[in-house]
C-alpha cells in the first residue's frame, strides 16, 4: 500500500526521492508527493495520479535541497486527491509528515485539535499527527514526535521533518514497516528496502515503538518510552537489479519466467536425497516441538491463503497432523482453535499483511508456537515468529503474486515431508518426493516454453466476461488461485470452484457464454473431473483443460488443452498453476490492462 522514502545526506534529495517512489510504485497507490527544506522553507509538491506526473511537475521546479521526504498514498481516509496526498503539514508549514497505517482515534483527535484552534486542510487521519507534533514542539523534534504519538492509537510508519531542523529527520513505527538505510554520509528511511537499495544495502529494521532520529552521518534509536535501544545493521542480499524488469514488458511476466530459478532457490540445500527428507535450518530450534505437535493452523490471505489450502491436502497425505487453514481477516476475530501444542504457521510474501500479523499476534497471546513462511527478509512476520523459513525468491514487484506462490507450495511440501518422515512416511516415499520436487524447475521451464501457444489460447477466451475454474483435491486451491489471477489483472469475473460442488449450484451459470477452465491432471480425481467436464459439455459450455502430457483422450472433450508435465499427484499442480498464470497474463494483455498495477489493488495490504 502506501510507500515512504526519506533522505538526509550530501546529494540532491529530489532525484533520490523520485527513484525511491518509482521503486515503491508496485505497492499500489493513487497519489504521490514530496517535500524538501530549501533555504529554511518547506517546499511541497503533490499530485493525484502516478509518480511520472510528479516527475513532470518537478521538472518545472528544480530543488537543490539535500533533505526531503516522499510518499505514495493508497487512499483510506478521504478520496484520492492532491489535498489528501502526503506530505501533510501543520498550519504554518514548518512540520511535514508522511505516514503509512491508520490513526484509529483520528476523529476524536481532530475534534479536540479543532476545538483548540487548529485548522485542517485534508480529510486524512495523518494530518492530526502534524498538528499534534506542532502542539508538542518546544525545540526538540524527537521529543515532540514522541509526545504526539503517545496520544495516538492505531498503526503507523511515519517520517517527520521540521524547517527548524534542516539536517534532521525523525521516524517511528508501530505495526507498519519502517527501515533505515545506512549509507556513507547519507541516511535513508523507507517503508521497504527496495526504495533505497541502489544507494545502500545496509539496513536497520525498526521495531514497534522505536523512534529513530537521523542526520547525514549518524542516527540514534530509542523508544516511545524513552528507552535507548540497539538494533542490528543487516546486509541485504537482494541485488537492486533483481527489482528491474530485465527486458520483460511487465514485472509479472518477468516473475512468472523466474520460477525455475525461484523454485531452485527455495529447494537449494534443503533436500537430502539419500534420507528422503528435507532439512529446513530455520526450523531447527523448534523441531522437537514441531515433531510432537498434533495440530497445525496455517493462516494467510489471498494467494498465500491458497498456498495454505494446497498445503492442507499435502499435510494430510504426508503426515498425521490435524491441519486447519484460516483466512487471517476472519481468524483474527474468531475464537481461534488454539490447543496445547498448537503450531500456527503464517504464510506471507510480504510479511507485512496486517490481517495475518494480527491473527498471529492473537494466536501467540493464546500460547501457540508462531512460525512464518515469508519472502521479505526482516519483515514484521519474520520478527514476531519464533522460527521460520524464507522463500529466497527475490523481490516480487508485480501486484499479482506468482513466483512466491509456487515457492510457498514447494516449501510447504518440504515442511510436510520433514514432519511426515518423523511419523509414518518411509524413506523410499520420501526419496520419491525429493525427486519429484527436484524435477519441478525443469517442468516449469517446459510450461514456460509454451507461452506463445498459451497466448494464442488466451486470445480465444479474453473476450468473455465470466470464467469458471474447477479442480479437485490438490487442484481445487489451484483453481481458486487461477481465478484470482485472472480477475486481479484482467478484471474478468472469475470464480474458483471445487469441481464436485459444481452441481450444487454453480452449474446453473453454464452456457455457451460462460467458459470453464478445468484442472484435469492425471491423479486419483481425474475420472471425477472428466465427469464434471462432460456435464459442462452437455450444457454447451466452452472448456479449456489443463491436462497431463500424453492424455490424448481429453482433447475430445475440451475445446482447448494446455499440457503440463507428469509428476507425483500433488506436485503436478505446481506446473499447472504456471500455465494459469500465463493464461491470466495474456488475457489481461488482450484486454489492455495495467498489469503490474491493477486498479484498486495494493501489493502489500498493510491496513485492515
Ligand atoms: C495476490 O496476487 C494478491 N495480490 C494478494 O491476494 C496477496 O496474496 C495477499 O494480499 C497476501 O499477501 P502476502 O502474501 O504478502 O501476505
Amino acid at each position: 500500500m502506501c510507500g515512504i522514502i526519506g533522505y538526509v545526506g550530501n546529494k540532491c534529495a529530489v532525484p533520490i526521492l523520485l527513484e525511491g517512489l518509482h521503486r515503491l510504485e508496485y505497492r499500489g497507490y493513487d497519489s504521490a508527493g514530496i517535500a524538501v527544506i530549501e533555504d529554511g522553507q518547506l517546499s511541497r509538491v503533490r499530485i493525484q495520479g502516478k509518480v511520472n506526473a510528479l516527475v513532470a511537475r518537478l521538472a518545472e521546479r528544480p530543488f537543490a535541497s539535500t533533505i526531503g521526504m516522499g510518499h505514495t498514498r493508497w487512499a483510506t481516509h478521504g478520496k484520492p486527491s492532491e489535498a489528501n496526498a502526503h506530505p501533510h503539514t501543520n498550519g504554518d508549514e514548518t512540520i511535514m509528515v508522511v505516514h503509512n497505517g491508520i490513526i484509529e482515534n483520528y476523529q476524536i483527535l481532530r475534534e479536540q485539535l479543532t476545538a483548540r484552534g487548529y485548522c485542517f486542510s485534508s480529510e486524512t487521519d495523518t494530518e492530526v499527527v502534524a498538528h499534534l507534533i506542532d502542539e508538542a514542539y518546544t525545540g526538540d523534534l524527537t521529543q515532540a514526535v514522541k509526545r504526539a504519538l503517545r496520544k495516538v492509537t492505531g498503526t503507523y510508519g511515519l517520517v517527520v521533518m521540521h524547517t527548524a531542523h534542516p539536517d534532521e529527520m525523525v521516524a517511528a513505527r508501530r505495526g507498519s514497516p519502517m527501515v533505515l538505510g545506512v549509507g556513507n554520509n547519507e541516511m535513508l528511511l523507507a517503508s521497504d528496502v527496495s526504495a533505497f537499495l541502489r544507494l545502500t544495502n545496509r539496513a536497520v529494521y525498526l521495531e514497534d515503538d522505536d523512534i529513530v532520529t537521523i542526520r547525514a552521518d549518524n542516527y540514534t534509536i530509542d523508544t516511545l518510552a524513552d528507552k535507548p535501544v540497539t538494533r542490528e545493521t543487516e546486509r541485504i542480499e537482494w541485488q537492486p537489479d533483481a527489482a528491474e524488469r530485465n527486458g520483460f514488458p511487465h514485472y509479472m511476466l518477468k516473475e512468472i519466467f523466474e520460477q525455475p530459478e525461484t523454485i531452485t532457490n527455495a529447494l537449494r540445500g534443503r533436500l537430502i536425497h539419500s534420507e528422503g527428507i528435507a532439512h529446513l535450518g530455520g526450523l531447527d530450534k523448534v523441531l522437537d516441538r514441531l515433531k510432537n505437535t498434533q495440530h497445525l493452523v496455517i493462516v494467510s490471505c489471498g494467494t498465500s491463503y491458497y498456498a495454505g489450502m494446497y498445503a492442507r491436502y499435502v499435510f494430510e497425505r504426508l503426515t498425521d497432523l490435524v491441519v486447519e487453514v484460516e483466512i487471517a481477516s476472519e481468524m483474527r476475530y474468531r475464537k481461534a482453535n488454539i490447543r496445547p501444542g498448537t503450531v500456527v504457521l503464517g504464510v506471507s510474501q510480504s510479511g507485512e499483511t496486517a490481517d495475518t500479523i494480527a491473527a498471529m499476534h492473537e494466536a501467540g497471546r493464546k500460547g501457540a508456537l508462531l512460525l512464518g513462511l515469508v519472502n521479505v527478509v526482516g519483515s514484521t512476520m519474520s520478527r514476531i515468529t519464533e522460527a521460520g523459513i524464507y522463500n529466497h525468491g527475490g523481490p516480487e514487484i508485480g501486484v499479482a503474486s506468482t513466483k512466491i506462490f509456487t515457492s510457498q507450495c514447494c516449501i510447504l511440501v518440504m515442511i510436510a515431508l520433514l514432519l511426515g518422515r518423523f511419523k509414518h512416511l518411509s524413506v523410499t516415499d520420501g526419496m520419491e518426493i525429493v525427486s519429484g520436487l527436484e524435477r519441478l524447475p525443469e517442468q516449469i521451464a517446459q510450461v514456460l516454453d509454451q507461452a506463445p501457444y498459451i497466448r494464442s489460447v488466451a486470445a480465444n477466451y479474453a473476450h468473455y466476461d465470466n470464467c469458471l475454474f474447477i479442480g479437485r483435491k490438490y487442484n481445487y486451491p489451484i483453481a481458486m488461485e487461477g481465478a484470482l489471477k485472472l480477475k486481479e489483472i484482467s478484471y474478468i469475473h472469475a470464480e474458483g470452484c471445487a469441481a464436485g460442488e459444481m452441481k450444487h449450484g454453480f452449474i446453473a451459470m453454464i452456457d455457451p457464454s460462460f467458459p470453464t477452465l478445468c484442472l484435469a491432471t492425471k491423479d486419483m480425481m481425474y475420472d471425477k473431473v472428466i465427469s464434471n467436464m462432460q456435464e459442462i459439455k452437455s450444457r454447451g459450455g466452452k472448456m479449456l483443460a489443463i491436462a497431463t502430457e500424453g492424455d490424448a483422450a481429453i482433447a475430445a472433450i475440451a475445446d482447448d488443452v494446455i499440457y503440463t508435465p507428469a509428476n507425483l499427484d500433488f506436485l503436478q499442480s505446481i506446473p499447472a498453476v504456471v500455465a494459469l498464470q500465463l493464461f491470466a497474463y495474456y488475457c489481461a494483455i488482450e484486454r489492455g490492462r495495467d498489469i503490474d498495477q491493477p486498479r484498486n489493488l495494493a501489493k502489500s495490504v498493510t491496513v485492515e
Side-chain angles (χ1 to χ4, degrees):
M1 290 192 151
C2 311
I4 288 178
I5 175 82
Y7 179 81
V8 185
N10 49 13
K11 301 191 181 96
C12 187
V14 170
I16 292 168
L17 300 178
L18 292 175
E19 156 96 14
L21 292 183
H22 271 307
R23 291 187 177 279
L24 294 170
E25 283 191 289
Y26 75 93
R27 296 167 71 103
Y29 70 104
D30 42 53
S31 53
I34 62 135
V36 295
I37 302 173
E38 189 122 307
D39 303 325
Q41 303 283 315
L42 161 76
S43 290
R44 176 172 62 155
V45 179
R46 299 177 295 168
I47 50 102
Q48 181 192 338
K50 295 293 181 190
V51 174
N52 276 340
L54 185 65
V55 174
R57 184 83 66 84
L58 281 159
E60 302 154 15
R61 298 183 58 181
F63 293 110
S65 173
T66 56
I67 179 167
M69 53 171 55
H71 189 266
T72 48
R73 172 175 187 256
W74 190 85
T76 55
H77 296 69
K79 59 185 176 301
S81 68
E82 191 172 318
N84 287 333
H86 299 215
H88 288 286
T89 70
N90 59 337
D92 62 5
E93 302 202 340
T94 50
I95 294 167
M96 286 130 276
V97 181
V98 288
H99 164 229
N100 290 357
I102 291 181
I103 308 297
E104 284 167 5
N105 59 341
Y106 90 102
Q107 197 60 52
I108 179 83
L109 290 171
R110 188 173 171 127
E111 283 163 20
Q112 291 167 350
L113 284 159
T114 305
R116 295 199 290 271
Y118 283 91
C119 295
F120 284 79
S121 57
S122 77
E123 304 158 283
T124 65
D125 53 337
T126 303
E127 195 184 344
V128 299
V129 179
H131 295 303
L132 285 175
I133 296 170
D134 177 278
E135 198 173 43
Y137 181 73
T138 54
D140 182 328
L141 183 59
T142 310
Q143 285 306 327
V145 171
K146 286 183 192 173
R147 280 196 286 271
L149 292 181
R150 286 181 195 129
K151 296 187 176 165
V152 157
T153 56
T155 55
Y156 50 78
L158 57 83
V159 177
V160 183
M161 293 192 307
H162 195 304
T163 50
H165 303 262
D167 46 16
E168 188 175 292
M169 200 174 262
V170 179
R173 91 155 258 171
R174 182 187 286 164
S176 214
M178 181 58 60
V179 55
L180 164 66
V182 181
N184 289 329
N185 253 311
E186 55 189 356
M187 298 281 167
L188 297 110
L189 291 160
S191 45
D192 179 332
V193 286
S194 61
F196 60 64
L197 264 184
R198 281 220 166 266
L199 286 177
T200 181
N201 68 348
R202 287 189 296 151
V204 180
Y205 290 92
L206 298 195
E207 304 275 337
D208 276 354
D209 288 343
D210 281 358
I211 309 283
V212 62
T213 306
I214 64 167
R215 282 166 216 89
D217 55 357
N218 65 64
Y219 68 89
T220 50
I221 305 180
D222 69 351
T223 68
L224 211 49
D226 287 324
K227 198 169 132 233
V229 286
T230 314
R231 304 282 176 229
E232 231 176 279
T233 308
E234 296 179 30
R235 254 176 216 286
I236 307 299
E237 286 167 23
W238 290 353
Q239 297 302 315
D241 285 359
E244 304 285 0
R245 287 205 305 266
N246 287 344
F248 284 92
H250 298 100
Y251 283 112
M252 182 181 176
L253 191 63
K254 175 200 169 214
E255 288 157 5
I256 291 172
F257 272 81
E258 277 175 350
Q259 289 175 104
E261 193 185 326
T262 49
I263 300 295
T264 304
N265 289 344
L267 304 180
R268 181 171 290 121
R270 289 170 165 169
L271 293 172
I272 306 172
H273 199 276
S274 57
E275 293 172 39
I277 198 169
H279 173 241
L280 300 161
L283 299 182
D284 278 352
K285 69 173 178 180
V286 294
L287 198 52
D288 284 338
R289 278 189 282 168
L290 254 181
K291 279 196 262 183
N292 292 324
T293 190
Q294 295 299 316
H295 184 216
L296 175 69
V297 179
I298 302 175
V299 60
S300 42
C301 301
T303 286
S304 297
Y305 172 70
Y306 297 137
M309 268 176 77
Y310 164 81
R312 176 171 52 198
Y313 289 103
V314 178
F315 272 88
E316 282 169 4
R317 161 90 185 268
L318 306 185
T319 76
D320 58 2
L321 293 186
V322 175
V323 181
E324 293 178 77
V325 189
E326 296 276 0
I327 294 174
S329 55
E330 288 298 309
M331 179 175 162
R332 64 183 288 185
Y333 293 113
R334 283 187 37 230
K335 187 173 165 196
N337 182 11
I338 308 295
R339 315 165 189 172
T342 294
V343 174
V344 171
L345 172 64
V347 179
S348 175
Q349 185 288 129
S350 61
E352 302 293 352
T353 302
D355 286 321
T356 309
I357 300 294
M360 293 184 76
H361 275 309
E362 197 51 38
R365 192 171 291 137
K366 302 210 160 59
L369 167 64
L370 300 185
L371 305 180
L373 168 54
V374 61
N375 186 43
V376 177
V377 176
S379 56
T380 301
M381 185 180 287
S382 71
R383 279 175 289 111
I384 63 165
T385 44
E386 201 158 326
I389 302 162
Y390 281 122
N391 293 89
H392 299 309
E396 189 180 66
I397 306 291
V399 166
S401 182
T402 52
K403 64 176 181 175
I404 299 306
F405 176 73
T406 49
S407 165
Q408 287 168 339
C409 291
C410 289
I411 293 172
L412 289 163
V413 169
M414 285 194 284
I415 302 174
L417 169 64
L418 171 69
L419 298 184
R421 287 285 289 116
F422 288 111
K423 302 278 169 67
H424 61 273
L425 203 64
S426 71
V427 65
T428 47
D429 285 345
M431 287 162 91
E432 213 184 340
I433 295 165
V434 169
S435 300
L437 283 166
E438 287 171 340
R439 276 166 31 221
L440 286 175
E442 176 52 36
Q443 295 194 326
I444 289 173
Q446 285 172 35
V447 177
L448 296 174
D449 287 344
Q450 298 182 66
Y453 168 67
I454 296 174
R455 181 174 194 157
S456 67
V457 173
N460 297 331
Y461 289 79
H463 63 282
Y464 289 102
D465 290 328
N466 301 289
C467 194
L468 174 66
F469 287 66
I470 59 167
R472 291 192 80 154
K473 206 166 174 179
Y474 311 111
N475 281 337
Y476 167 39
I478 301 303
M480 300 293 287
E481 171 59 6
L484 178 65
K485 285 292 88 84
L486 186 64
K487 67 186 137 194
E488 275 187 305
I489 56 165
S490 73
Y491 318 147
I492 295 172
H493 165 234
E495 303 243 10
C497 180
E501 269 293 291
M502 215 182 47
K503 57 188 166 299
H504 298 289
F506 210 99
I507 200 163
M509 300 302 297
I510 298 299
D511 68 18
S513 71
F514 204 128
T516 305
L517 251 114
C518 311
L519 285 136
T521 49
K522 279 271 177 163
D523 59 23
M524 71 208 322
M525 305 312 289
Y526 175 79
D527 291 341
K528 308 269 181 201
V529 175
I530 294 294
S531 301
N532 295 130
M533 289 176 66
Q534 297 287 11
E535 289 158 10
I536 293 169
K537 195 177 171 74
S538 54
R539 284 156 184 85
K542 187 175 165 84
M543 277 179 291
L544 164 60
I546 309 294
T548 305
E549 269 167 1
D551 179 6
I554 202 163
I557 310 169
D559 299 278
D560 298 281
V561 184
I562 299 171
Y563 287 105
T564 56
N567 202 325
L568 297 177
D569 52 1
F570 56 91
L571 293 180
Q572 296 183 138
S573 303
I574 295 175
V577 81
V578 176
L580 298 187
Q581 294 166 352
L582 285 169
F583 176 79
Y585 175 81
Y586 289 122
C587 284
I589 290 284
E590 285 289 321
R591 290 193 153 213
R593 303 304 192 203
D594 184 352
I595 298 211
D596 285 331
Q597 287 166 44
R599 69 184 181 202
N600 305 335
L601 292 177
K603 178 64 181 166
S604 186
V605 185
T606 51
V607 294
E608 189 173 358

